[in-house]
Structures are given as C-alpha cells and as structure tokens.
Amino acid sequence: MLNYDEFDLRVRTIIALGQHYNIDTAHADNVFDTVKHLFSQCKKAWGLKQKDLLQLQWAAQLHEVGLSINSSGIQKHSAYIVMNTALPGFTQQQQSVLSALIRFHRKKIKLPELDIFNILCSETFAKLLTLFRLAVLVNRTRQLTDLSRPTLSVEDNKCTVLFDAQLPEEQALLCADLEQEKLYLDSIGIELVFVIGECS
C-alpha cells in the first residue's frame, strides 16, 4: 500500500520541478494519457504494477525539463537534471529509474550508458521504456490525434501496435519512425510489430 504522505510529497516534488523549468504541461499530460492507454492494455500480460505506472507518469511530466538548456539532446539534459536534483520523497532507486526512462525516451538506446543508472530489473525496465517511447513517438506533433490511442497487444517480449489508416504523408512518416523504433527496441530485447492501415 502506498504511503500517502510520501506520495503527496512526490507529487509536490514533480510539480515544483516542472514549474521551475516551465515545462509544457499540456504536452506532458498528452504523453501520459497515451502511456495510461497503452499501460492498461498490457498491464496484466506483462505483470506490471501500479508503481510502474507512477514511474511512467513522473517520466512523462519531467521528460522535457532539459528543453530550457537546449532542444538538441534534450533527453540527456533532462536526465541530468532529474538525476542531480534533490527530489524529496523519492528513493535513490526511484530517481535512477526515472532518470533512465527520461534519458532513453528517444533516439538510440546506448546500453553501456544504461549501466550507470543501476537498474535492478532490466526486463521490467525494458517494458516500461517501450511504453514510454511509444507514447512520446505518437505525440510528436504535440497535438492530440487518433494516433495518441493506438491498440496494443503483447506476448512475452513481442509488442504489436495497431493504428488506423492515416493520410498518405503522415502514414509514410509514421512508418519510417516506427521502422527506426523497431531497431532501437531490439537492442533491449523487445520485438516491435506495427500495422498502420495498409502499411506493416
């Protein structure tokens, strides 16, 4: 059972840090809305817990805190801030997992760098990172669209994502992004399969 005093403190900590760095709360909320949608579809099959969803919520809320430093390499800047800021209410392990989710929410997943975050359960982390990366990817336009709520099914380490057909240009871009994401996720043992209208 959650300690509600601690939970409230963590909420206040996340809100305060987000406000300090003037994050785009609407975008953060959209990313988390997608995360919740994906999480609900695979929670049982992947054996995920409510505490895992909390980690994803915090990551969604803070993944752009480094934007004020530089938009290039935002994932590195954001992770550095989260890892090196005092976060009242968080254990060191929670802060490490949060920082790692943020560090690898986009672009290549560099496994040697993952070691510095001391992730205890790499299998669970890989699943959480997959959900988070997909949520960020489908919200790349920073506007809620039908892409924000794809259908997800999982079996072991295979993750199948289904999208409705898109306008030709948008569909081509999404296909290209997801093909690249397949390669990235393969490095952490996740097999990504996707279907977008006629594209698969």
Side-chain angles (χ1 to χ4, degrees), residues 59 62-63 75 78-79 82 97-105 132:
L62 296 181
H63 74 287
Q75 70 278 14
S78 296
V82 171
V97 172
L98 179 58
S99 299
L101 285 169
I102 291 170
R103 170 63 183 87
F104 301 107
H105 80 267
F132 189 42

Side-chain angles (χ1 to χ4, degrees), residues 23-40:
I23 63 164
D24 181 345
T25 55
H27 177 62
D29 288 346
N30 289 345
V31 170
F32 181 56
D33 183 71
T34 300
V35 165
K36 283 191 299 183
H37 178 72
L38 297 173
F39 186 91
S40 68

Side-chain angles (χ1 to χ4, degrees), residues 74-105:
I74 182 177
Q75 70 278 14
K76 297 177 184 178
H77 302 311
S78 296
Y80 180 85
I81 289 170
V82 171
M83 190 65 157
N84 292 281
T85 299
L87 299 182
F90 286 81
T91 66
Q92 185 58 54
Q93 180 62 22
Q94 289 169 336
Q95 192 163 351
S96 292
V97 172
L98 179 58
S99 299
L101 285 169
I102 291 170
R103 170 63 183 87
F104 301 107
H105 80 267

Side-chain angles (χ1 to χ4, degrees), residues 34 50 60 76 87 93 106 114 123 147 150 156 165 172 176 186 197:
T34 300
Q50 189 65 22
K76 297 177 184 178
L87 299 182
Q93 180 62 22
R106 63 192 288 266
L114 193 53
E123 185 175 338
L147 288 180
D156 297 324
D186 185 63

Side-chain angles (χ1 to χ4, degrees), residues 22-194:
N22 197 30
I23 63 164
D24 181 345
T25 55
H27 177 62
D29 288 346
N30 289 345
V31 170
F32 181 56
D33 183 71
T34 300
V35 165
K36 283 191 299 183
H37 178 72
L38 297 173
F39 186 91
S40 68
Q41 296 176 78
C42 68
K43 177 182 177 181
K44 185 175 181 180
W46 268 358
L48 300 177
K49 311 295 184 188
Q50 189 65 22
K51 64 182 179 66
D52 297 320
L53 183 60
L54 279 176
Q55 286 280 6
L56 291 170
Q57 180 178 12
W58 299 329
Q61 291 173 306
L62 296 181
H63 74 287
E64 289 193 335
V65 292
L67 191 60
S68 60
I69 297 174
N70 197 324
S71 59
S72 176
I74 182 177
Q75 70 278 14
K76 297 177 184 178
H77 302 311
S78 296
Y80 180 85
I81 289 170
V82 171
M83 190 65 157
N84 292 281
T85 299
L87 299 182
F90 286 81
T91 66
Q92 185 58 54
Q93 180 62 22
Q94 289 169 336
Q95 192 163 351
S96 292
V97 172
L98 179 58
S99 299
L101 285 169
I102 291 170
R103 170 63 183 87
F104 301 107
H105 80 267
R106 63 192 288 266
K107 298 196 174 180
K108 188 175 182 180
I109 303 168
K110 299 178 180 178
L111 297 182
E113 290 186 28
L114 193 53
D115 291 341
I116 67 175
F117 292 97
N118 299 314
I119 303 301
L120 294 181
C121 182
S122 59
E123 185 175 338
T124 297
F125 178 79
K127 293 170 180 176
L128 297 183
L129 185 59
T130 297
L131 298 177
F132 189 42
R133 287 176 66 94
L134 287 172
V136 171
L137 189 155
V138 301
N139 283 284
R140 68 197 187 290
T141 64
R142 308 184 76 84
Q143 296 178 357
L144 277 180
T145 68
D146 62 337
L147 288 180
S148 301
R149 287 179 164 264
T151 300
L152 175 72
S153 63
V154 299
E155 183 178 355
D156 297 324
N157 287 339
K158 182 178 180 180
C159 179
T160 303
V161 192
L162 307 172
F163 296 92
D164 292 335
Q166 304 296 308
L167 294 173
E169 183 178 345
E170 177 65 24
Q171 187 158 309
L173 288 171
L174 184 60
C175 282
D177 287 345
L178 289 168
E179 285 291 354
Q180 183 63 66
E181 191 62 21
K182 284 175 68 170
L183 299 177
Y184 290 149
L185 292 179
D186 185 63
S187 68
I188 56 172
I190 298 292
E191 178 188 357
L192 178 64
V193 177
F194 66 89

